[in-house]
Amino acid sequence: MGLLEDKVVLVNGGSQGVGSGTVRAAVREGATVVFTGRRAEAGEKLAADTGARFVRADLSDQAQARDSVVQVVAAHGRIDCLVNAAGLTSRGSLLDTTPELFDQHMAINLRAPFFAMQAAVADMTARKAPGTIVNIGSNCAHGGPPHLAPYSAAKAGLAGLTRNAAHAHRWDRIRINGLNIGWTDTEGEDATQRAFHDAGDDWREKAAAALPMGKLGQVDEIAHFVVFLLSDRSGVVTGSVIDWDQIVFGGQD
């Protein structure tokens, strides 16, 4: 028996990065998996590789964020687990962020999880059934670098939302947790490093040499942790926003 045997799981933002890793891990653990993404080619390939169902969606549209859950319930009769993994990391500081960029970050990094959670919790409570939700946050929720001002603001909001929703629905037996992940080796991060930081092909090696564990965070490691939090194996844990990183916040040299 896998950790998610007979569970219906939706991974929003599942066509690449941590979301893609979570799709693969959830399928391996026995779940029926639906995932969303904007890139049809990547989504269809992952669906073919895993047997999961791909739904193309633009989560910056709150109606599509809600509808991702509606489609899962329509197809499978219920949703047991939700993972909010979509993220926008485009750069912007306090001084140069435009209203348009700010709104893009809020739409993807905060509003989409809010309304997907709203729809998922509505289904769970209507059925009087337990469920689990994991929100993929960022260590930038603690402050973040100057060039990630709107991103940090949105991820701080997501951490607060995670705790608020977990408290509100603890008596419904709906467990809601978050992972504040650090610097992670994904295809999206590779594109970001090249686009915004003039990184060369050796950027991963340079980054790894400057990190305590000698490597960036790995997608499969994070995905295993997400599956654990979704599963009954994680027990009663709810309202936890875990710093999944090699930075020790509050530590001083």
Side-chain angles (χ1 to χ4, degrees):
M1 292 286 287
L3 288 177
L4 298 177
E5 201 74 32
D6 297 325
K7 299 293 187 184
V8 177
V9 177
L10 170 62
V11 181
N12 271 333
S15 60
Q16 65 176 8
V18 170
S20 173
T22 300
V23 169
R24 294 180 184 278
V27 169
R28 285 196 300 268
E29 292 296 336
T32 297
V33 180
V34 180
F35 68 98
T36 65
R38 288 184 290 186
R39 297 164 55 220
E41 183 177 353
E44 289 163 4
K45 183 179 186 307
L46 181 61
D49 289 346
T50 62
R53 179 188 170 204
F54 170 59
V55 175
R56 190 173 187 181
D58 180 357
L59 298 174
S60 66
D61 178 352
Q62 64 191 42
Q64 293 187 50
R66 283 195 303 265
D67 190 58
S68 65
V69 175
V70 172
Q71 289 194 53
V72 170
V73 174
H76 300 286
R78 69 185 196 277
I79 182 170
D80 300 308
C81 308
L82 169 66
V83 179
N84 286 306
L88 178 69
T89 59
S90 51
R91 276 32 181 170
S93 71
L94 179 64
L95 294 179
D96 63 21
T97 294
T98 64
E100 292 77 17
L101 179 61
F102 183 89
D103 288 346
Q104 288 169 12
H105 275 275
M106 293 300 156
I108 293 290
N109 295 325
L110 183 55
R111 190 174 68 193
F114 186 103
F115 287 104
M117 288 170 63
Q118 183 184 77
V121 171
D123 174 70
M124 294 167 186
T125 54
R127 294 184 292 108
K128 300 187 186 307
T132 51
I133 297 173
V134 174
N135 293 320
I136 304 300
S138 168
N139 63 19
C140 289
H142 294 288
H147 62 265
L148 285 175
Y151 177 76
S152 299
K155 290 300 187 179
L158 183 60
L161 172 62
T162 299
R163 296 185 181 99
N164 179 276
H167 177 74
H169 294 285
R170 67 199 190 282
W171 289 104
D172 296 314
R173 295 178 298 148
I174 299 170
R175 299 190 298 109
I176 305 173
N177 295 291
L179 284 183
N180 279 342
I181 63 175
W183 202 1
T184 304
D185 186 0
T186 65
E187 56 267 54
E189 181 60 21
D190 180 62
T192 295
Q193 288 297 318
R194 294 176 188 275
F196 292 100
H197 302 288
D198 297 321
D201 292 340
D202 61 346
W203 75 265
R204 288 181 177 86
E205 290 75 17
K206 290 180 177 178
L211 293 169
M213 304 303 161
K215 64 177 182 178
L216 294 160
Q218 300 296 302
V219 165
D220 60 339
E221 297 169 349
I222 298 168
H224 291 318
F225 205 93
V226 172
V227 164
F228 171 76
L229 287 174
L230 291 175
S231 76
D232 293 340
R233 188 73 61 83
S234 55
V236 299
V237 174
T238 193
S240 291
V241 179
I242 300 163
D243 291 328
W244 198 98
D245 198 9
Q246 51 197 302
I247 295 172
V248 180
F249 295 96
Q252 299 181 27
D253 290 323

